[in-house]
Every structure is written in C-alpha cells, then in structure tokens.
Amino acid sequence: MDSQAVKRTGRWKSRIASELVEILGAGAVISAEDELIAYESDGLTGYRVRPLFVVLPSSTEEVSRVVGLCNREKVPFVPRGAGTGLSGGALPSREGIVISLARMNRILDVDIPNRVVVAEPGVVNISVTDAVSAEGFYYAPDPSSQIVCTIGGNVAENSGGVHCLKYGVTTNHVLGVEMVLPDGEVVTLGGPAPESLGYDLLSLVVGSEGLLGIVTKVFLRIIKKPQMVKTLFASFERIEDAGASVSAIISSGVIPAGMEIMDNLSINAVEATVGAGYPRDAGAILLVELDGPEAEVNVQVPAVSGILRENGAIEIKLAADESERQLFWKGRKSAFAAMGKISPGYYVQDGVIPRSTLARVLGEIGELGRRYGLRVANVFHAGDGNLHPLVLYDPEVEGESEKAEELSGEILRVCVDVGGSITGEHGVGVDKKRFLPLMFSEQEIDTMNLVRCAFDEEGLCNPGKVFPTPRTCVEPGMQKRSSETAPAKEMGELF
Amino acid sequence: MVSGFHVPGSGDTGPDVPEFGFSPEVVLYPETVEEISRVLGFASRNGIRVFPFAGGTKLFLGNPVGAVGAALSLKRLDSVLFHEPSDMVSTVECGMEVSEFQNAVGRENQIFPVDPPRLNSGSTVGGLVSTNLCGPMSTRYGTCRELILGIRAVRADGEIINLGGKVVKNVAGYDIPKLMVGSLGTLCVLAEATFRLYPRQPFSRTIVLGFDDHISCSRAAGAILAADVVPTCFEILDEKLSSEFAAAPGAKRSLLLRFDSFEEAVLEQVRQVREITSGDFASFTEIGNEDSQELWDSAREFPFSSGAGFSSKLALPVTASIEVLSGIESNPALLGVTARCLSRPARGVALVSVSGDDQEAVRAARFLENLADSLGGRIMFSGVRRELREEVKAWGDFGDALFLMKNIKRRFDPGNILPGEKIFDAN
C-alpha cells in the first residue's frame, strides 16, 4: 500500500480535513506542515514520512468514525502512542493519516479484588502501577521507556522489560481489549476474566504492531507487589563468566525477576554519564534481582551469591537498601542514553538467542565489530537471551551509518542462526521487515497474512510494516479440486 | 492391516481407535510431518474432510463432528526432538503423551508444568494444546498459552509451517502458536510444539482448609489471594467435592492449596496461610507430597471424570469465580439435579458437573449459561448426551469475537477440511 500511495488533490484534502474537523473539532486535527513534523517518525528517527493529517481523538466513537472515513476513502492510517517505538511501527504512511491516541489517556477502572485495571491506550505505562501501588499492586511489564511509553504502544509491540523472565511480557498481562477494526467496527475481545474461550484472538492483537486495528481500551492484569525484592550486583573479568552464571542460576531452580548483563564498553559509557559505581575495569557486570515471599528470597540470595562466586565473580554486592538498589539499576536503565557520551551515533538491535549460545554469539558479535571497524556495546536481558547490541558509529563519517546498519543486520543473522529471533520486544516495524525471511518462509509469512486479512482485507491499517513485501488479501475460496475426486480410502497409498 | 492406515470394517485388525461419534472411511497413522502434509494436500484437492486426533481422550469437547473421510492419528509422532536444559526449552512431537514428556524433561530436574485431565490415561501434547484444558497448576504457571513458544504445523492445504520460535521472548510476526491453543484442531494439524519449561522445586506441601459456611470460606480465599504467598495450586471445593475427594469430609466448603519451593519458603507460606485464615477455617490439615497425590488427581480430573450428565467450564472474573459456588448451590433452577462445583480462583475458572434427568439438565444448562453471562464470563459445555445436544450447545456466547473467529477459520481453511463445526455450530 505504502509504495503505491495515491496522490491526493488539494480539493480532496480540504474535504477530508473538513470531515475530520466535523468529527473531532478543529483542535484535534493537525494539518499545518510545521506541526506535522513532530509526527514524521517515532523512536527510529532514521525513517521519516510526513503524514497528510494527524488526528487526536478523545473517544472510541471518534476513533471509529475516523477509521470509518479512512475506510470509505481508502486512506491508510497509522495508530500512534507516545512514539517511543524503536522499529518504526508508528512511521506514517505517505498520503495517510496518523491517529494519535495521546488524548485517550484515562484510567477507566481500578478493580483491585479482580486484579484488573481498565485503561485507555494513551495511558503511560508507569501510571498503571501508580494507580494501584498504594494497594500493594503493580503492572509488571516495564520497558525502559515506561515513564513515557503508552499502554496502546505496549499492546501493539508486545513490550517486555527487565522483569520478563519471571513475569512474562505484555501478552501475559493483557486480559482483553476493545478495538476499532479497520472498517470502523468496534469489538471487544476478552475482558476482565483471566481466561477466555474460543480462538485466542487477543494473542494475535497483542504484538500485531498496529496492523489489525486500533485498540481503544485495555483490560490489564495487575499483580501483587512481591513481599521482598533483593538485587545482587556482580562484576566479572570475562563476560562469558557472567553468561555462565545466568545459566547456572536458572539451572539451580531459581527464577530471578530479572538478570541484566552489561559489557565493558557499556559500563564505561554509563560511568561517564551517571556514575552508577560500576567498576570501569570489569569485563562485565551482572545484575540479579530476586523477588517473592520473604522466606523464599532469603533462601535464594545466599544460593545465588554462591553460584556467582563459583562462576568467577570478582565482586558481589547485595543492595543494602532501596537507594542502593536504585543506583544499581540507574546505570542499566541509562545505558542506551549513555552511549551518546562515547559515540555521536548508535544503532540498537533487539535480537534474541537461546541462553546456552551466549558465549558463542558474543564472540561472533565481537568478530563482526572488528571486521566492520565499529565498536559494539552489549547490554542485554540475559535471563531471556534478549540482546541489545549497540553499534556505535559517527554519522558525520560518510558511509558509516550504512555500515552500522549492515553490521546490525549481520548480528541478527547470527541470532537466527543459533535458533533465536530478530526481535524480542522492539517489533519488526519497518526496521526489520527485510529480516523476517531469515526466520520465516514465504508460506509462513503468507500464513501471517491470513491473520491480517481476517482483520483488514483492505490493508489500510498501518501498511508497509512487518511484511517484507506487500501482500494483498485474496478472497478465500474452496481449494482447487481435482476434476475427479478420489475417495478417502486412497489416502492409505500416500505413505 | 497396512502400515500407516487402517480401513475400519475391512477385516484388518487396526490399532485401537477411540469412539469418534462418526465413521471415518479410513484412519491414517503418519510418521512424519511430510506425511501429514501429503494427507492434507490430497484431502484439500479432493474435498475429503480430515479429523486430527492423538490420545482421543477429550473427544467429548466441542460440538459433534459431521461426516469425515479420514481420521488422522498423530500417535506415531511421539518423540522429544529437542531439549536444551540450560535454556529450559523443549520441542516435542504432538503425539507424545504429556506424562511421558514430563518424565523426559524431569530427568533434567525440569518440569512441564501442566496437569490436564486424563494426564495418566493417554493425554497427548497435541490434545493438550488444541483443547487447552489445564489443571490445578495453572494457578501458578498459567495454561498452555503461557508456555507455548513455537509450533510446526500443517495447514489445511498441506503447507508445512514453522511459527514462533525456540526462545522465550520473540515478537517477530503474529503469535500464531497461541492462536492454535484451544482451537480444537480446526485451523491446522499440529505436528510439533516448543514449550518453555520450569525448574523442579525441591519441596512441596499441600494444605486443606475445611469451612463450616461459605462466607468464611470466601473470606479466607480472598485473604489468601491478597497475601504474600505464591501457591502452585489453589482450588475451592463445594460441599459434595469436599467429601468425595476426601479433602475435608463434612465441610461445607474447602480450600485446597499446594506450595512448591525451598522447604523453608514452603513452610513459611503454610504458616502464613494458617495465620491469616485462622478465624475462618474449621479444620486445617497439612499433607505431604505423596499422600496428597490422590487428592490432586481428583481435582485434576474433575469434572470430566463424572459419568452422568454434562460438565461445564466457566471463565469468569476472579471474584465471580469465588462467589459462583454459592450461586450454583442455592439456586432453585438447579433443584432436581446434582451439581458439583470446583473453583480455581486465581484463574477465574469454575468447573461444574451436572447430573439429572433430561429436562432438568437442560434447565440447569440454561441457568449456568445465564449465570456466566451475568457475571461477565464465558461458558462451554462438554459431555452432553446426544439427546440433549440440540438444546445444550457446546459453546455459550462468543460475543463480538464470533465473526472474527469465523474470518480466521475461513482464511485458514476455506474448504472446512478440518471440521470447524467443533467450534462453529453448523446451525
């Protein structure tokens, strides 16, 4: 759809602008060129497209009417939350409309006994926890951008965070959604009940990268805050030993809430920025967060400390209090931003690998970095094998950004070669769609298209994303049959 | 018998086949995914409907199936294909029995934490995924939906597809493996599935709390849900089941909990439960791991073990799944039938068995359907006698989702080669 964007006339644009204003009011329709600039990209700023209009609906009905208009006029539309996504999922379509959910930012219901919060998509992730914290609950998925990213975006990308190993990702915490389908119809899938019956459509919608419709209400599962949280910090001479510690901890029967590794380059970037107290000469550091009933954590802390020691930890520290714990995490959470201190540009990747291949993959990433003449910093969710290699480059040096992008692609190939994935939490978007065939055959990508067609026959909803090449929806018919059909009994001859 | 297939009534002595409720012309036993692909390719070209099955232990789920040309057994795909203990991930063929798979990963001190009905009588991995009937351990570990990472399956047109992956975090493409969970084999034939595993916990303890009235039981259940304890299993039994499971004979209600962790952590959680519920329970019994086995077997099999009448599963909000027991017990609409009820509050699930004569059973089914609806939940029925099937359909209202579900089915299998009527009532 994107590559075949229809060029619209000025007259058509004014008519559509009037209709949008009629639906939403003038204050909710952006059409001035200078104001549209802010919506040209999301967190993946290398890709930019200026939309025709940006609209800011305030209700499901308004979203439905706008989408209905888009459907009637065959205008592509792109849903947008806070625009913090890192794969270009909210990149506008040419000659399309961006539907920002920023004004749909109310928490509609807090139901502690049923452990459910009902939120509009524009609610900021951390606000959900803030709404239930006093009652001793929280919302578990915690992407690094949680103070700005929105629930709608989290649903679209199936966002993760640093506590996924134990608590899962967004799909494990969404019980239901109300959504506007690409023809404008409003449906509710799931609801406040933890389980549902029939086809699990909700699992398709979560992580669909905004291609199946626009979510306008989300039923979120909240969970009890753990009675105790303890964070261990360990430094290692070699990153491989940090990796081996991760496998050993899990093999021992302990599932930490989170395990994060940073390599020497990342440590130094962080120390130059926030001064988290990480040892600059360490080959790697590992953060292990243990949570749960007090009695359980009290047994786990010495057990994990012992494992870290056995695996060559130079220094092991247990956060003495909440402020020290926050300091341990401060470095990790500022790692991406800190790269700006040591490099004018960086390219972040999101590959996933089986934990058992960590040493091999890190070795290959190092080798690739040397071959391309670029530094690669490694920061990753070690427990679930989600790597975030940061390829450092100088955009002022001609050809270096292309080299960085190519190197990032090579890293993804390595991830897939060892049985992993091209993306663990950032999504495919426009950024990684060309790599989807590394993981999936044409038939498999066609199968994904069957899902998209079941929701969006016209292909108007966030087109140009995820799928490596444009795919249309062919009206399903009966399979082409043989002119003379064979009886079932002949099937015995098939093997 | 010819290797690989069996023609019922041909005089061959074929392998045991379950009672399908329909008469396939042929029963096929492929040994590889490529053979399944050939079967479905041939079937779709010739308009032959194919019914996939494995253990055949849960054929009572869903609507009855119409005419089918071939029944396709997955029983010969029964191996563990991959298990990397340090990744806690394993890929298994769908004809393997769940208990065998659990034994296989257990050798590495890991668990595949599901306990479906018929666990020890032939329940297979494929059946588990396609029915998503999970037992008491779903309180802590969730259902198959939370455990499945990837699939190898064959589409109705014979295409072999691998979707998802072998890592615990993966957002590349739509989560089609989860779509297969609970789809009753109506979208694809599953050949292999990859699951996340968990470490076996070193110590386990079961406790049973008996109550003299439902109010104190509900209060205690609410207190446990709000407490700093993490039970692996947590069930509420009504009066009849409290006695029949020999959990707390004579009690009006009972709570059944199991904790798995380090010994100190388990004992501390048991102590906490005793403390926070001490004003409510009439009896409190601790049971060691082996002695509790029979009790958990009973909870796992309910309500599909009961002979007469029908069973139903209600998917409800958490609080409704606690209160629903009283609604069922005291309602005049259920006079004349015998109803038993087990609730799994952390999952919002209530399981009900009903036995009684036809007219009363139908009235009870209507009542349960309305009850689920009024509580904001969904319902399914199973094991409904043939004579009642016109009046008691397998599925309650799917709400808004129905037309999208139909769209999905139409896209995946436009010829209805894999009997969609299991979910979509032919009427």
Side-chain angles (χ1 to χ4, degrees):
Chain A
M1 171 60 73
D2 209 30
S3 57
Q4 305 156 358
V6 181
K7 190 74 189 152
R8 305 290 190 173
T9 63
R11 199 164 151 189
W12 179 88
K13 285 179 197 169
S14 347
R15 179 168 60 81
I16 297 302
S18 306
E19 280 200 54
L20 289 171
V21 168
E22 195 184 310
I23 296 169
L24 302 163
V29 180
I30 298 172
S31 57
E33 292 291 318
D34 56 338
E35 290 179 63
L36 290 172
I37 291 171
Y39 295 88
E40 282 183 347
S41 75
D42 58 12
L44 186 74
T45 53
Y47 292 81
R48 290 182 179 276
V49 173
R50 193 165 302 179
L52 277 182
F53 305 105
V54 174
V55 297
L56 297 118
S58 299
S59 67
T60 301
E61 191 202 339
E62 288 183 355
V63 174
S64 168
R65 290 179 67 193
V66 170
V67 170
L69 169 67
C70 291
N71 184 270
R72 188 193 76 205
E73 298 289 331
K74 306 300 172 222
V75 186
F77 55 95
V78 176
R80 180 186 172 101
T84 57
L86 294 169
S87 59
L91 181 75
S93 288
R94 274 185 289 143
E95 303 292 318
I97 293 177
V98 168
I99 301 178
S100 164
L101 286 312
R103 290 187 186 173
M104 292 182 69
N105 59 358
R106 294 171 303 159
I107 288 182
L108 301 173
D109 190 26
V110 174
D111 183 350
I112 297 291
N114 280 311
R115 288 146 166 65
V116 178
V117 167
V118 185
E120 289 186 325
V123 167
V124 171
N125 173 297
I126 194 74
S127 304
V128 179
T129 291
D130 289 345
V132 295
S133 182
E135 307 277 353
F137 285 80
Y138 76 114
Y139 175 63
D142 58 347
S144 297
S145 55
Q146 72 177 142
I147 56 167
V148 278
C149 67
T150 59
I151 291 299
N154 292 174
V155 170
E157 302 298 331
N158 193 11
S159 303
V162 297
H163 293 103
C164 303
L165 176 64
K166 185 168 180 178
Y167 295 105
V169 292
T170 301
T171 192
N172 306 109
H173 298 272
V174 172
L175 303 175
V177 295
E178 174 193 82
M179 67 189 290
V180 176
L181 296 176
D183 62 359
E185 186 161 344
V186 181
V187 295
T188 301
L189 308 176
E195 289 196 17
S196 196
L197 298 170
Y199 291 163
D200 188 357
L201 303 176
L202 189 59
S203 289
L204 296 174
V205 172
V206 179
S208 61
E209 306 199 26
L211 270 68
L212 301 183
I214 299 185
V215 167
T216 48
K217 192 191 286 184
V218 191
F219 295 81
L220 298 165
R221 183 169 79 106
I222 48 165
I223 57 178
K224 191 93 174 58
K225 273 192 216 166
Q227 188 179 21
M228 179 178 266
V229 181
K230 291 284 183 189
T231 305
L232 282 156
F233 165 95
S235 61
F236 295 85
E237 198 176 314
R238 299 176 338 128
I239 197 166
E240 291 82 358
D241 294 337
S245 301
V246 168
S247 287
I249 289 166
I250 292 173
S251 300
S252 77
V254 174
I255 300 206
M259 285 196 279
E260 298 288 307
I261 289 179
M262 293 169 65
D263 70 359
N264 179 268
L265 196 50
S266 313
I267 292 168
N268 279 287
V270 162
E271 284 306 304
T273 318
V274 297
Y278 298 162
R280 280 176 174 267
D281 58 347
I285 61 142
L286 167 64
L287 294 176
V288 182
E289 187 147 289
L290 300 162
D291 72 6
E294 195 175 326
E296 191 167 277
V297 176
N298 281 336
V299 176
Q300 290 175 341
V301 168
V304 169
S305 299
I307 292 168
L308 293 170
R309 212 168 296 119
E310 280 164 25
N311 282 276
I314 303 165
E315 182 187 17
I316 303 168
K317 286 194 283 189
L318 175 68
D321 51 28
E322 182 58 21
S323 68
E324 190 173 17
R325 178 177 163 260
Q326 291 298 343
L327 187 64
F328 287 174
W329 279 109
K330 189 176 173 189
R332 167 61 188 90
K333 290 196 171 174
S334 5
F336 287 12
M339 291 303 148
K341 271 277 182 189
I342 60 167
S343 174
Y346 67 88
Y347 201 91
V348 60
Q349 269 307 355
D350 179 39
V352 188
I353 56 166
R355 274 188 301 268
S356 55
T357 64
L358 191 60
R360 174 185 156 189
V361 170
L362 290 175
E364 290 193 33
I365 291 175
E367 180 52 40
L368 282 167
R370 280 187 288 279
R371 199 189 314 156
Y372 278 81
L374 294 172
R375 292 180 298 167
V376 183
N378 286 294
V379 175
F380 47 93
H381 309 305
D384 44 38
N386 191 183
L387 307 180
H388 289 314
L390 296 138
V391 180
L392 311 184
Y393 68 97
D394 185 349
E396 300 298 316
V397 175
E398 198 183 327
E400 198 158 278
S401 59
E402 289 78 6
K403 247 180 21 176
E405 198 172 339
E406 198 180 316
L407 167 54
S408 294
E410 289 300 315
I411 292 173
L412 293 185
R413 274 178 215 281
V414 173
C415 293
V416 174
D417 284 348
V418 297
S421 169
I422 58 171
T423 175
E425 56 187 3
H426 294 175
V428 177
V430 289
D431 183 37
K432 290 183 279 290
K433 63 181 184 178
R434 66 189 184 284
F435 298 119
L436 204 65
L438 291 179
M439 286 181 72
F440 302 112
S441 68
E442 275 296 299
Q443 288 78 8
E444 287 153 3
I445 296 170
D446 279 343
T447 306
M448 294 179 199
N449 194 47
L450 296 175
V451 170
R452 189 180 67 98
C453 293
F455 281 75
D456 182 18
E457 282 196 3
E458 305 274 355
L460 292 172
C461 191
N462 211 6
K465 315 287 167 64
V466 181
F467 293 93
T469 50
R471 277 173 158 74
T472 52
C473 299
V474 179
E475 182 56 25
M478 299 290 278
Q479 287 289 319
K480 195 172 177 195
R481 298 253 169 96
S482 315
S483 50
E484 286 180 24
T485 55
K489 283 177 187 171
E490 281 188 18
M491 294 170 104
E493 311 297 324
L494 292 169
F495 48 88
Chain B
M1 180 206 150
V2 180
S3 174
F5 79 104
H6 168 62
V7 179
S10 64
D12 294 335
T13 308
D16 287 341
V17 292
E19 185 53 52
F20 291 115
F22 56 86
S23 305
E25 291 175 50
V26 61
V27 184
L28 303 162
Y29 296 87
E31 291 178 0
T32 64
V33 69
E34 289 76 19
E35 288 181 351
I36 299 174
S37 167
R38 286 212 289 278
V39 167
L40 287 171
F42 183 90
S44 61
R45 284 192 302 277
N46 291 284
I48 298 166
R49 300 210 320 147
V50 177
F51 183 81
F53 73 103
T57 62
K58 301 188 195 77
L59 296 175
F60 52 81
L61 287 181
N63 297 313
V65 171
V68 162
L72 181 71
S73 168
L74 295 162
K75 283 294 281 180
R76 293 188 183 174
L77 286 93
D78 60 356
S79 305
V80 175
L81 300 176
F82 168 86
H83 179 204
E84 178 52 62
S86 59
D87 293 329
M88 288 203 300
V89 167
S90 183
T91 301
V92 57
E93 288 183 313
C94 284
M96 188 174 216
E97 292 192 8
V98 176
S99 57
E100 281 180 32
F101 180 45
Q102 288 175 324
N103 290 339
V105 301
R107 288 193 273 279
E108 297 290 343
N109 215 24
Q110 297 184 347
I111 57 169
F112 176 48
V114 295
D115 44 3
R118 311 284 200 269
L119 176 65
N120 298 319
S121 47
S123 173
T124 60
V125 169
L128 174 75
V129 175
S130 70
T131 61
N132 199 27
L133 275 191
C134 293
M137 288 170 82
S138 59
T139 289
R140 174 162 174 179
Y141 295 102
T143 67
C144 252
R145 176 186 189 270
E146 272 68 48
L147 301 171
I148 196 163
L149 302 176
I151 53 161
R152 188 165 204 221
V154 184
R155 285 194 330 217
D157 61 2
E159 288 288 354
I160 298 170
I161 50 171
N162 293 283
L163 291 165
K166 289 185 177 172
V167 283
V168 295
K169 211 168 164 192
N170 176 15
V171 295
Y174 301 122
D175 200 341
I176 292 174
K178 283 193 176 64
L179 175 65
M180 296 301 143
V181 175
S183 65
L184 289 183
T186 59
L187 296 172
C188 289
V189 174
L190 286 183
E192 300 164 16
T194 299
F195 296 102
R196 165 180 196 169
L197 306 174
Y198 279 84
R200 192 203 304 278
Q201 298 299 317
F203 189 81
S204 182
R205 177 65 47 98
T206 291
I207 53 175
V208 180
L209 289 73
F211 297 86
D212 289 336
D213 62 89
H214 70 87
I215 296 171
S216 52
C217 177
S218 296
R219 195 164 48 225
I224 293 168
L225 282 174
D228 290 311
V229 294
V230 184
T232 303
C233 314
F234 179 8
E235 322 264 284
I236 309 177
L237 308 181
D238 71 1
E239 185 176 359
K240 290 191 192 69
L241 295 180
S242 295
S243 292
E244 288 169 12
F245 291 1
K252 289 282 179 204
R253 287 266 202 291
S254 56
L255 298 183
L256 193 53
L257 291 108
R258 196 176 91 209
F259 292 94
D260 302 319
S261 183
F262 298 99
E263 183 174 356
E264 301 91 317
V266 168
L267 296 179
E268 171 58 21
Q269 291 181 82
V270 169
R271 190 197 63 74
Q272 280 186 41
V273 170
R274 180 190 276 272
E275 187 179 301
I276 58 178
T277 60
S278 61
D280 290 315
F281 63 74
S283 64
F284 188 102
T285 314
E286 290 188 39
I287 311 174
N289 203 15
E290 286 189 7
D291 294 338
S292 66
Q293 201 50 55
E294 211 171 311
L295 196 52
W296 289 113
D297 287 348
S298 302
R300 184 191 68 221
E301 295 300 322
F302 182 80
F304 306 104
S305 53
S306 53
F310 61 83
S311 307
S312 66
K313 173 180 173 177
L314 289 80
L316 304 167
V318 170
T319 50
S321 70
I322 299 174
E323 299 308 327
V324 75
L325 280 90
S326 306
I328 288 172
E329 220 164 43
S330 60
N331 200 285
L334 296 179
L335 287 174
V337 299
T338 304
R340 293 171 173 78
C341 186
L342 176 154
S343 162
R344 195 163 290 148
R347 300 296 309 170
V349 165
L351 300 166
V352 184
S353 79
V354 171
S355 51
D357 76 23
D358 288 0
Q359 204 181 350
E360 282 157 343
V362 169
R363 196 171 66 221
R366 283 290 91 75
F367 164 74
L368 290 172
E369 208 167 345
N370 291 335
L371 184 66
D373 193 44
S374 67
L375 294 170
R378 303 266 183 244
I379 191 166
M380 59 172 248
F381 295 98
S382 68
V384 176
R385 284 197 296 275
R386 192 177 294 273
E387 309 78 61
L388 302 184
R389 282 183 186 158
E390 273 307 303
E391 296 192 76
V392 183
K393 305 290 185 194
W395 305 96
D397 184 13
F398 286 122
D400 290 346
L402 182 62
F403 83 93
L404 282 170
M405 286 168 56
K406 285 183 172 173
N407 275 359
I408 292 278
K409 170 65 180 171
R410 196 169 60 100
R411 292 284 173 185
F412 272 75
D413 179 18
N416 198 24
I417 296 297
L418 301 168
E421 62 269 28
K422 282 287 261 184
I423 290 185
F424 306 103
D425 187 0
N427 301 319

